[in-house]
Amino acid sequence: MTSRPEADHETTPSTVSASDSSSKTTSNTRKVFVRTYGCQMNVYDSERMTDVLAPEGFEATHDLEDADLVILNTCHIREKAAEKVYSELGRIRKVKEERAKSGKDMMVGVAGCVAQAEGEEISRRAPIVDVVVGPQSYHQLPDLLQKARGGRKVVETEFDIDAKFDHLSDQAQKHVLKRAPSAFLTVQEGCDKFCTFCVVPYTRGAEVSRSVEQIVTEAERMAASGVREVTLLGQNVNAYHGEAPDGSTWGLGRLLRRLSEIGGLDRLRYTTSHPRDMDDDLIEAHRDLKTLMPYLHLPVQSGSDRILKSMNRRHTREEYFRLIDQIRAAAPDIALSGDFIVGFPGETDQDFEDTMDLIRRVEYGSAFSFKYSQRPGTPGATMEDQVPEDVKSARLAELQALVSEQQKAFNASRLGMTCDVLLEKKGRNPGQLVGKSPWLQPVQLDAPEDLIGSIQAVEIVEIGSNSLFGQLFDRQDTTQKARPVPATVV
Ligand code: SAH
Ligand code: SF4
Ligand code: F3S
């Protein structure tokens, strides 16, 4: 359902900002192709990169062959994700050579978490790469490209997150004209938790929260440009502790309350949360805020106390169960989702059985699961008792079968219900649109195109394997709040 690590996609011209009057003329227009791997934070960053490049005359394209600049925004979370980058660079090299035959140049940039983790090594392994840029340095892209044009390889992997957000916000302000109905907004970046399997603290650096004012301004601008649903992003989004205008520090619950006052923003979501940071105020926000959607992604990774300890997750399974009870008491309707790792070093059959037991007890609406992948530089990589690949595969299959059963049951429980659906885009068949239910399920239905961007009451009439099928109820937008006048948009 949600896009998860290793799901790769291109930044589409329809969802990125259009260029403004300060853009160069069409004759100067160059094309940029951005391919995004990894989590939603990379999706957000890819859009900000195209914002930064727009005043330089770059327009987004779907077509690799047509691109003057190719950027791979990469993910380092598992070995498979990181290796994909090198095979993609091989393909790009061929396209670049083809273009060169007709006298056209192509610059190549590698951004994101592989860029941060492997820096210089990328240029060595893939000589076609002109620029390597870490996640905190995107605002410098125009300068870095300029330097690289002089024929020099450029590697920029400094951590200066405040500069990144200050600059990217300015750019976004100038360029946002029209956006898709659902958008991401990064409110927090980095992680100080150091789970023993995970590279994120090394690739994204220490935890930093953006200020309330910066976030509210960006959310208001999104609302004014047609966004109905905002998903707040952070590697540990519920560890958010941003500075408020009065100098106090706000947590995520308080921030959500403030954002729910913005006209036009009818739906709020956030991801990804850590169980340790689920405080009472945030749980109460689920009870109090109509705009906060009844969906929570709360990864637990394992149901075994022994493994949780060795993973440095810093909570027990009982604490997780108590938390789930508290959340369900506040929001009985909530769809829960999680992440699981099978085959962490030392995981026995009994530990795995504890994970299966936890899943049976919690009953998830959906979940994402992965075989443990040894990541260089993390403590897990050198632990004893690494689990053999075939055992990991068998456990993963068993776990996924259970989750799939739970997901089917959850989806089936929506049959006959009428719920609000945010209509986001055209469906596969003519006359069809696809939207999202409050529980983040894709919903397909017959509806005219002019309803894209509206929230409609939809009756769920059929359940498919991955999506629900619905029927429009009365074609009235179920808007809860007055929409802002789009005057703040340049
Ligand atoms: N901050 C989030 C997770 C971010 S990474 C949290 O704390 O839960 C997204 C998911 O990738 C993780 O939840 C985990 O399930 C998976 N993951 C991370 N490192 C991994 C590794 N080395 N091997 C397999 N899966 C991993
Ligand atoms: Fe990785 Fe753990 Fe931080 Fe999540 S909390 S990003 S799993 S180190
Ligand atoms: Fe991957 Fe980096 Fe996100 S490692 S999951 S792109 S934070």
Side-chain angles (χ1 to χ4, degrees), residues 1-2 4 295 297 300-302 320 336-342 352 355-370 394-412 441 465-466:
M1 283 188 202
T2 38
R4 296 298 297 158
Y295 174 90
H297 184 65
V300 61
Q301 318 295 356
S302 168
Y320 187 76
L336 289 168
S337 159
D339 286 349
F340 295 91
I341 294 178
V342 297
F352 175 66
T355 300
M356 295 292 280
D357 176 67
L358 179 142
I359 296 172
R360 278 184 213 106
R361 279 175 65 174
V362 173
E363 293 187 28
Y364 290 91
S366 63
F368 304 90
S369 44
F370 313 97
R395 287 180 186 165
L396 187 69
E398 207 182 314
L399 189 151
Q400 287 183 339
L402 175 59
V403 166
S404 158
E405 242 173 64
Q406 293 192 345
Q407 181 165 353
K408 275 191 200 132
F410 181 78
N411 287 349
Q441 298 144 303
S465 47
N466 289 315

Side-chain angles (χ1 to χ4, degrees), residues 311-342:
M311 286 176 162
N312 193 30
R313 292 292 290 182
R314 292 184 273 182
H315 66 79
T316 61
R317 60 187 261 127
E318 274 314 315
E319 282 163 344
Y320 187 76
F321 287 138
R322 272 205 296 278
L323 194 54
I324 298 292
D325 287 347
Q326 230 186 320
I327 292 161
R328 284 207 162 117
D333 187 28
I334 204 159
L336 289 168
S337 159
D339 286 349
F340 295 91
I341 294 178
V342 297

Side-chain angles (χ1 to χ4, degrees), residues 456-472:
Q456 299 284 333
V458 170
E459 187 184 346
I460 305 302
V461 293
E462 200 186 320
I463 308 295
S465 47
N466 289 315
S467 53
L468 313 179
F469 296 90
Q471 248 166 27
L472 270 186

